[in-house]
């Protein structure tokens, strides 16, 4: 299954097992602009898979309200770039619902899915990775899978998790390649990173599409420099798995953090600062961030904007003989 | 208005004749094309509402659209104006409404003063709007879910949310149901089916719609009541909610307290049209404007709205009232309005006094009993207040609780390799 089919399969399982579960958003009824919700309306009915008016703050508020009333809500924001009208509902409402009510009310049953990241030609408003903006809002879970197998397990975990979740989908991977995804119902734990490649010389952390870029760079580093990189997929941005990253950095002594979003105030800064505090005595080189530039996401210059494997490889080279 | 419509129809008739002539000359039927498009526009674009073409270049002039009338049951003297509109509330219900309004008013005075003395951090009174709270609350079922803004505590009191809980919340002490996390006035209670208040205005409105949708699917016969102010109605979330409620046909009532001011901003700087109710039909909401100082009008409107809402016909009620108190204890309203204006409302258009005269007419009100009750009430409030003041706070570690469903502290232990 490719990523789209996997997400569809995860929602199918979630809806089959939970009769309160609804899928809503702009254009989800006919199957979604990325075809992630194809067939669900026919299978579960128009009252469970429905279009909303074109209004992100309305979708967010509506999803929260469903969850407050005890229903499971899987709400789609068409592109991560258009999530900002709902920022208030996410940050001031969803994230703080349980806390501010002394746990009398919560919206733990809501999950927001949104298509994120570079896609080759998305320009300013079809390419962004907004995880950094939301990582400041305690109370939210932010999850960013790297491929179909992960996406299914993580999405099912989000849907069933008792906290409001923001599930960011790397849209460039929607149809790019497929994996053997188990058809059974399974979950993958949240707030747990995964070591996807072991190595002793240098740790690299990323999420989403960027994990694949790091894996390619790690392969190049092995071939050309003889450097063994450990690659970690963070998977959950908030609350993130400090232990797995710190343990790896204690072993390797070096860290590269890489993400598509701009560097300044990106989540890489948080990782870098925390690891510096945790692993000060073990660090043998400055923690390095390879990120998008501090510009809006450009159209024709995308190849020069993204933190490509060449930029990562260059950083590995510099760090290997620091 | 009528004459312009007649004019329009006559134009359509002549144009129709001309079209037929033109169509026969051109060899195709414009009338068929017109019929096709009108059918499409009507069915697909306009929810089946009939639409016609016009060759009359005429804008709808907002000032010429009839202003929605204000529905009332009693006049200022508590006299029922049209006996067919009398809801015939029984004595017990009427007195409960009256006593709750009176208690709310007495409590507001004490808590307001206590803030002025620096004993609680913040307070917002409900002066002048007590009728909206109690008239509407009494018309709902007690397990209908309520989302509020912040000036609706009378609704909670109607449902048995006690003085002790109100005072504890204002102090943020160990008995506060929201555990000292929020500012005073941010009440909530699952027992009272009242979702915890939050400060960001209007955010509750689309949430109320989502909850209403969940009730519709659960087919549990419940509806959702959502209160907001005239200022909140300007937020994008209000637009989102009205639209969502209508398109997704949710069992929800929007109850707007139009009290003339959003802090210092008068309503004529808040909207350019016929108030908030003037927007209702544009969204496809069943809409009414009521006299917010008339308990019985609020009661009747909400009761009727509930009947519609339960059939998945969302409603908008705009209750016209006046904010007699300051916006909050952080506001001195004399900076932007005259005390004469305030006094005029307080003395002549007071919802509590108006309901009192109604009770008198029914022989349910007795001056001596009232005076004794008020004394007792005040004593009781002070006692509860002093108890609340003496109650300790929760342990400071509480500040870390309930961020997530399980306790999360990011840095659990230092990795063993880091000494």
């Amino acid at each position: 299954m490719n990523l789209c089919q996997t997400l569809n399969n995860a929602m199918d399982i979630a809806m089959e097992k939970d009769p309160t579960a609804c899928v809503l958003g702009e254009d989800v009824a006919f199957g979604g602009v990325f075809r992630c919700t194809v067939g669900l309306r026919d299978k579960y009915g128009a009252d469970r898979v429905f279009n909303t008016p074109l209004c992100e703050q309305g979708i967010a508020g509506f999803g929260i309200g469903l969850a407050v009333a005890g229903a499971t809500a899987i709400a789609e924001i068409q592109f991560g770039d258009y999530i900002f009208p709902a920022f208030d509902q996410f940050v001031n409402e969803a994230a703080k619902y349980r806390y501010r009510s002394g746990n009398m009310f919560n919206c733990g049953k809501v999950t927001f899915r949104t298509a994120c990241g570079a896609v080759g030609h998305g320009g300013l408003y079809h390419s962004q990775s907004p995880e950094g903006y939301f990582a400041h809002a305690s109370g939210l879970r932010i999850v960013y899978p790297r491929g179909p197998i992960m996406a299914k397990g993580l999405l099912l975990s989000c849907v069933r998790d008792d906290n409001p979740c923001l599930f960011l989908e790397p849209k460039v991977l929607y149809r790019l390649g497929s994996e053997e995804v188990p058809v059974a119902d399974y979950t993958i734990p949240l707030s747990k990173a995964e070591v996807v490649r072991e190595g002793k010389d240098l740790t690299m952390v990323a999420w989403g599409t960027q994990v694949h870029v790091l894996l390619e760079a790690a392969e190049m580093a092995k071939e050309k420099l003889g450097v063994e990189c450990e690659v970690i997929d963070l998977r959950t941005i908030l609350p993130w798995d400090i232990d797995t990253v710190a343990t790896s950095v204690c072993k390797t002594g070096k860290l590269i953090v890489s993400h598509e979003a701009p560097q300044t105030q990106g989540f890489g800064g948080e990782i870098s600062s925390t690891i510096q505090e945790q692993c000060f005595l073990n660090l043998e080189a400055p923690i390095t961030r390879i990120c998008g530039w501090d510009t809006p996401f450009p159209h024709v210059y995308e190849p020069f904007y993204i933190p490509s494997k060449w930029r990562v490889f260059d950083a590995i080279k510099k760090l290997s003989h620091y | 208005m009528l004459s312009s419509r007649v004019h329009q129809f006559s134009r359509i008739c002549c144009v129709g004749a001309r079209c037929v002539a033109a169509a026969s000359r051109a060899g195709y039927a414009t009338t068929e094309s017109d019929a096709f498009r009108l059918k499409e526009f009507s069915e697909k674009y306009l929810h089946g509402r009939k639409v016609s073409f016009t060759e009359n270049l005429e804008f709808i002039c907002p000032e010429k659209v009839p202003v929605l009338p204000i529905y009332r049951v009693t006049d200022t003297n508590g006299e029922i104006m049209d006996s067919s509109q009398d809801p015939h509330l029984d004595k017990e219900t009427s007195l409960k409404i009256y006593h709750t309004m009176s208690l709310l008013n007495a409590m507001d005075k004490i808590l307001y003063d206590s803030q002025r003395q620096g004993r609680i951090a913040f307070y917002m009174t409900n002066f002048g709007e007590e009728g909206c709270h109690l008239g509407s609350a009494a018309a709902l079922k007690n397990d209908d879910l309520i989302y509020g803004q912040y000036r609706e505590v009378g609704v909670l009191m109607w449902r048995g949310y006690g003085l002790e809980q109100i005072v504890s919340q204002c102090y943020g002490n160990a008995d506060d149901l929201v555990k000292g996390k929020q500012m005073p006035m941010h009440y909530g209670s699952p027992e009272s089916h009242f979702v915890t208040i939050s400060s960001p205005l209007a955010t509750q409105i689309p949430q109320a719609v989502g909850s209403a949708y969940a009730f519709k699917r659960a087919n549990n016969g419940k509806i959702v009541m959502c209160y907001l102010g005239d200022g909140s109605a300007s937020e994008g979330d209000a637009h989102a909610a009205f639209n969502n409620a209508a398109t997704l046909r949710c069992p929800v009532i929007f109850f707007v307290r139009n009290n003339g001011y959003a802090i210092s901003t008068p309503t004529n700087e808040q909207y350019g049209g016929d108030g908030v109710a003037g927007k209702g039909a544009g969204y496809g909401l069943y809409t009414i404007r009521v006299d917010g100082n008339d308990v019985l009008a609020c009661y009747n409107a909400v009761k009727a709205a509930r009947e519609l809402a339960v059939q998945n016909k969302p409603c908008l009620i705009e209750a016209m009232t006046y904010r007699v108190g300051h916006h909050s204890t952080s506001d001195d309203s004399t900076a932007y309005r005259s005390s004469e204006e305030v006094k005029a409302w307080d003395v002549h258009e007071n919802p509590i006094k108006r309901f009192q005269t109604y009770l008198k007419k029914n022989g349910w009100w007795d001056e001596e009993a009232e005076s004794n009750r008020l004394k007792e009430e005040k004593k009781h409030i002070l006692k509860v207040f002093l108890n609340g003041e003496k109650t300790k706070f929760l342990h400071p570690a509480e500040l870390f609780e309930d961020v997530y469903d399980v306790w999360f502290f990011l840095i659990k232990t230092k990795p063993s390799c880091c000494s």
Side-chain angles (χ1 to χ4, degrees), chain B residues 2 7 49 132 152 157 191 207 260 380 392 418:
Chain B
L2 189 66
H7 176 64
R49 293 182 187 97
C132 297
E152 294 96 5
M157 292 166 81
E191 284 71 38
Q207 292 170 15
H380 176 60
K392 289 188 172 164
C418 295

Side-chain angles (χ1 to χ4, degrees), chain B residues 135-246:
Chain B
S136 60
L140 295 170
K141 299 237 161 107
N142 278 344
D143 59 353
D144 287 336
L145 187 66
I146 292 178
Y147 282 83
Q149 180 167 300
Y150 48 64
R151 215 183 295 282
E152 294 96 5
V153 69
V155 178
L156 262 167
M157 292 166 81
W158 174 261
R159 291 183 171 198
Y161 188 85
L163 271 180
E164 290 81 1
Q165 287 167 316
I166 290 169
V167 167
S168 297
Q169 206 283 316
C170 287
Y171 270 111
N173 67 26
D175 296 328
D176 174 12
L177 294 175
V178 309
K179 300 177 185 169
K181 303 279 171 70
Q182 291 213 76
M183 285 174 78
M185 314 298 305
H186 292 58
Y187 312 108
S189 157
E191 284 71 38
S192 298
H193 303 274
F194 193 105
V195 179
T196 307
I197 302 287
S198 74
S199 310
L201 290 177
T203 48
Q204 80 279 13
I205 319 174
Q207 292 170 15
V209 180
S211 291
Y213 191 85
F215 286 177
K216 172 171 139 177
R217 282 212 62 239
N219 201 17
N220 59 15
K222 294 194 210 175
I223 65 124
V224 177
M225 176 71 150
C226 178
Y227 292 91
L228 58 140
D230 50 271
S232 283
S234 296
E235 290 280 3
D237 274 337
H239 161 69
F242 296 163
N243 214 6
N244 278 349

Side-chain angles (χ1 to χ4, degrees), chain B residues 313-330:
Chain B
K313 293 171 178 168
C315 296
L316 173 66
I317 299 173
E318 182 182 31
M320 309 302 275
T321 181
Y322 184 81
R323 195 194 76 211
V324 171
H326 300 297
H327 164 68
S328 72
T329 49
S330 310

Side-chain angles (χ1 to χ4, degrees), chain A residues 47 65 93 97 99 140 163 250, chain B residues 207 211 213 399 404-405 417:
Chain A
D47 68 320
E93 296 292 314
Y97 232 99
Y99 188 77
L140 287 183
N163 298 291
C250 286
Chain B
Q207 292 170 15
S211 291
Y213 191 85
L399 94 87
Y404 292 91
D405 63 330
C417 53

Side-chain angles (χ1 to χ4, degrees), chain A residues 227-250:
Chain A
V227 173
E228 291 287 354
C229 295
E230 182 143 301
V231 176
I232 297 177
D233 178 1
L234 197 61
R235 302 200 295 203
T236 301
I237 312 295
L238 191 75
W240 66 290
D241 181 359
I242 296 172
D243 288 353
T244 299
V245 180
T247 303
S248 171
V249 174
C250 286

